[in-house]
Amino acid sequence: MYNFTKCGEGSYSFEPRKPFYAVDNSDDSGTITTLNPKVVAHTAKVSGKLAVSRSLASVIEKRATYNGCTAAEQTALVSAVSAAKTYASNASDYLAAHSSSTARYTTWFGPYTQPRHKTVQSHFSNITSNDFAGFRFDCTCTDSGTYAYVYPDQYVQFLMNP
């Protein structure tokens, strides 16, 4: 996608970068394929009224993926993400309004210190601002007594035991 609204009318030469990346939306997987085209540059003239393009974010959209999750589990996970964001937002608001020790703070996070308060507040702020699109939810765990877990080096993957 090219946006010529700022540079205006004129003659432009196009040549794809190598490699070229394409998103496959045919099955909603969003799989990215690497292409190495054998092409020559193309020159085109642009004129007339130039419309503003949609943002790239609206064209290439991250999607959560599910492995081994039933439709009901997927629906529950969508609701859980929404509830977690609400919880995180409320916690972030509370922490912003309380910059000293409270019973609620020490119950959850231990003795109050300003650096700890700042860290906790930034974590809830990060959770609130994350849309969780692109995360992978895996429902194939069958370990007794395990509800969910993550690996520290794979923060975008949640493994659940339905």
Side-chain angles (χ1 to χ4, degrees):
M1 174 188 305
Y2 298 95
N3 180 349
F4 295 101
T5 57
K6 291 185 180 174
C7 52
E9 295 183 8
S11 181
Y12 299 92
S13 292
F14 301 91
E15 184 174 355
R17 298 182 86 182
K18 294 181 184 180
F20 187 79
Y21 301 99
V23 178
D24 179 7
N25 284 328
S26 63
D27 63 358
D28 289 334
S29 69
T31 303
I32 298 176
T33 304
T34 304
L35 305 171
N36 290 298
K38 294 180 183 176
V39 297
V40 295
H42 176 76
T43 300
K45 293 188 182 205
V46 177
S47 63
K49 183 174 178 170
L50 304 176
V52 176
S53 68
R54 295 179 291 158
S55 74
L56 189 56
S58 68
V59 176
I60 300 175
E61 180 180 305
K62 292 187 211 173
R63 294 182 184 95
T65 59
Y66 304 91
N67 181 42
C69 302
T70 66
E73 289 167 338
Q74 290 180 32
T75 300
L77 287 166
V78 169
S79 295
V81 165
S82 177
K85 287 183 67 148
T86 299
Y87 180 86
S89 178
N90 290 342
S92 185
D93 291 345
Y94 178 85
L95 290 165
H98 297 84
S99 58
S100 60
S101 184
T102 65
R104 183 174 170 184
Y105 180 93
T106 57
T107 297
W108 284 97
F109 308 111
Y112 179 89
T113 66
Q114 189 174 7
R116 180 181 291 160
H117 180 268
K118 191 174 188 176
T119 298
V120 172
Q121 190 170 14
S122 74
H123 289 181
F124 280 112
S125 178
N126 290 341
I127 293 168
T128 301
S129 65
N130 194 321
D131 64 4
F132 295 94
F135 276 55
R136 180 171 187 248
F137 298 96
D138 190 317
C139 300
T140 61
C141 174
T142 57
D143 296 342
S144 177
T146 301
Y147 297 101
Y149 61 97
V150 296
Y151 293 112
D153 61 339
Q154 298 174 9
Y155 76 97
V156 297
Q157 176 171 291
F158 292 90
L159 301 121
M160 271 79 56
N161 187 353

